[in-house]
Amino acid sequence: MTASLEARVTAALAAIQNPRLENDLLSAGMIRDIAVTEEGRVSFTFLLAPGDPATLVRSARAAVAAVEGVRRDEIKINVTNPAGPAKSTHAPPADAGAVPPMAPAPQPMDQPNLGKILAVSSGKGGVGKSTIAANLAVALTQAGLRVGVMDADVYGPNIPRMFGVNARPAVIGGKIQPLQAHGVKLMSLGLLIERDAPAIWRGPIIMKIMNQFLRDVDWGQLDYFIVDLPPGTGDAQLSLVQGTHVTGAVIVTTPQEVAVGDALRGAKMFERVGVPVLGVVENMSGFTDPETGRRFDLFSSGGGQRLADEIGAPLLGTVPLQPELAALADAGQPILIAEPDSPAALSLRHIAETLQQKTAGRSAALPILRG
Ligand SMILES: Nc1ncnc2c1ncn2[C@@H]1O[C@H](COP(=O)(O)OP(=O)(O)OP(=O)(O)O)[C@@H](O)[C@H]1O
Ligand SMILES: [Mg+2]
């Protein structure tokens, strides 16, 4: 049984190409020391050369997580530099092949200064989490609220780019100063680290950084604190819910989503730790002709509603494909600022209003309910 699970894990890794080498990760010798236990725990060493995109690590993790029988929360990847530890001060210690012990789960802290904490999450990557998180933040700011955004995507932080900032944050009196853009306070690992560095941070370090972001950043008093999470149910999700009391989660998906497995697992994880799922946002949902206002479904539709039904949470809204959105986002202009009357902006504003209503009665910090 172990052998076949191991074989399937190996095959999943062999299916990932390194575009630089025009070869797959295994043939390229980038994966070492694969260990797979009967219980579905997987660990391996990832030799990431400086020229390789850090997102390869995330792809590897996602591919392994998708293998049936693998426990997603028990995948340990030691990312190391093939040039050897001497070159990198961040390199893991000499026992890099060993599975690091699980850190004891800390008690979540109350942080009333952060206001209501919303986690924006998804099962799959690239569905528009960061876009939704950024625009919800702008919408709430435009409604007169004080809002902060924390980019918790250590493997591919893109909030700074979406807000058009990349200055290094100042430290005053031991507190990291958040940046501000479009009235929103923001902080991202992308502002503090070299572009390719985060891939070598493993779970315990992500937890440390997450806690530092929650506690040592000078957020001031906020009404809403929006956390842009990486896809899936990895270290960042775990660190967030263990570090603070999250008011609720918003799950983002796309209309063509047939298999809701990953998103469902994500939603279940939040529920398990007592974080209510406030609802589902379906993004890239059809296209509205700006001339006629007619709506076209480009792909198959209904993924958002299906997921909402399965989770037992409401569909908060559908955000249409807005062709110019990506270019505007790359230029640091959230669609809510650049084209406030576009169909996508109207929908995002409506979702923000719904979220405000849904969280109106909730205290900033819900108690953790176990069981
Ligand atoms: N409604 C939309 N219309 C058009 N383009 C969109 C829309 N939503 C998102 N995009 C574009 O799709 C791409 C992916 O979006 P985004 O980066 O927000 O996804 P993500 O879920 O945060 O991805 P990742 O998992 O990599 O963090 C971006 O280029 C973004 O500009
Ligand atoms: Mg993102």
Side-chain angles (χ1 to χ4, degrees):
M1 186 188 156
T2 308
S4 79
L5 182 59
E6 182 168 345
R8 283 182 289 131
V9 167
T10 308
L13 290 167
I16 299 172
Q17 293 289 315
N18 180 336
R20 185 174 64 87
L21 304 174
E22 293 182 11
N23 209 342
D24 71 80
L25 298 186
L26 273 192
S27 312
M30 296 173 73
I31 307 285
R32 297 278 163 80
D33 310 324
I34 302 181
V36 180
T37 71
E38 245 166 355
E39 296 77 32
R41 290 195 176 87
V42 178
S43 69
F44 55 88
T45 299
F46 196 117
L47 301 176
L48 189 74
D52 286 327
T55 46
L56 277 178
V57 179
R58 192 159 82 183
S59 306
R61 181 183 285 275
V64 171
V67 174
E68 207 190 336
V70 169
R71 290 175 52 186
R72 294 179 66 92
D73 50 351
E74 295 284 6
I75 302 170
K76 298 280 180 272
I77 306 178
N78 295 306
V79 183
T80 185
N81 186 330
K87 265 199 87 180
S88 164
T89 52
H90 299 289
D95 68 340
V99 177
M102 284 289 283
Q107 279 303 307
M109 254 178 59
D110 266 342
Q111 276 158 300
N113 70 305
L114 296 182
K116 287 159 189 163
I117 302 176
L118 304 182
V120 180
S121 196
S122 73
K124 277 203 328 189
V127 297
K129 278 178 307 303
S130 301
T131 303
I132 304 286
N135 282 286
L136 287 180
V138 172
L140 291 167
T141 305
Q142 288 176 342
L145 296 158
R146 297 160 294 181
V147 185
V149 176
M150 179 168 82
D151 185 347
D153 191 344
V154 287
Y155 296 110
N158 42 22
I159 285 289
R161 184 173 45 81
M162 287 185 174
F163 278 89
V165 293
N166 62 2
R168 220 177 164 77
V171 178
I172 301 176
K175 284 267 190 187
I176 306 167
Q177 302 301 306
L179 299 177
Q180 290 219 30
H182 309 303
V184 177
K185 288 184 179 170
L186 47 120
M187 183 48 62
S188 167
L189 281 155
L191 298 168
L192 299 177
I193 43 128
E194 299 304 324
R195 207 165 151 37
D196 280 337
I200 57 176
W201 290 348
R202 295 172 298 162
I205 304 180
I206 289 177
M207 179 163 295
K208 226 171 134 182
I209 294 162
M210 180 83 76
N211 285 331
Q212 197 179 2
F213 269 35
L214 291 169
R215 280 150 217 185
D216 297 345
V217 172
D218 201 357
W219 295 106
Q221 180 62 52
L222 301 175
D223 296 305
Y224 279 93
F225 187 71
I226 298 179
V227 186
D228 179 19
L229 287 164
T233 52
D235 297 316
Q237 277 78 359
L238 209 62
S239 303
L240 178 68
V241 297
Q242 288 179 348
T244 192
H245 292 295
V246 178
T247 309
V250 174
I251 313 283
V252 182
T253 189
T254 54
Q256 65 269 39
E257 200 58 66
V258 195
V260 290
D262 285 349
L264 194 60
R265 256 192 295 281
K268 286 264 180 308
M269 183 216 70
F270 284 115
E271 280 170 7
R272 250 200 326 274
V273 294
V275 174
V277 175
L278 299 171
V280 173
V281 173
E282 182 181 280
N283 187 32
M284 311 195 203
S285 173
F287 171 68
T288 307
D289 184 338
E291 300 288 315
T292 63
R294 238 184 95 196
R295 196 193 134 109
F296 300 92
D297 285 324
L298 301 184
F299 312 108
S300 57
S301 59
Q305 187 63 57
R306 272 198 300 280
L307 177 61
D309 290 345
E310 251 183 270
I311 295 175
L315 182 65
L316 296 169
T318 59
V319 181
L321 256 174
Q322 194 77 38
E324 63 279 22
L325 188 151
L328 286 168
D330 284 345
Q333 292 289 320
I335 194 84
L336 241 88
I337 302 276
E339 294 185 6
D341 297 322
S342 61
L346 294 176
S347 165
L348 283 157
R349 206 172 298 121
H350 178 70
I351 293 166
E353 283 163 11
T354 308
L355 279 171
Q356 239 182 294
Q357 287 160 8
K358 285 195 171 298
T359 51
R362 296 184 195 276
S363 66
L366 284 175
I368 291 275
L369 312 164
R370 298 207 182 271

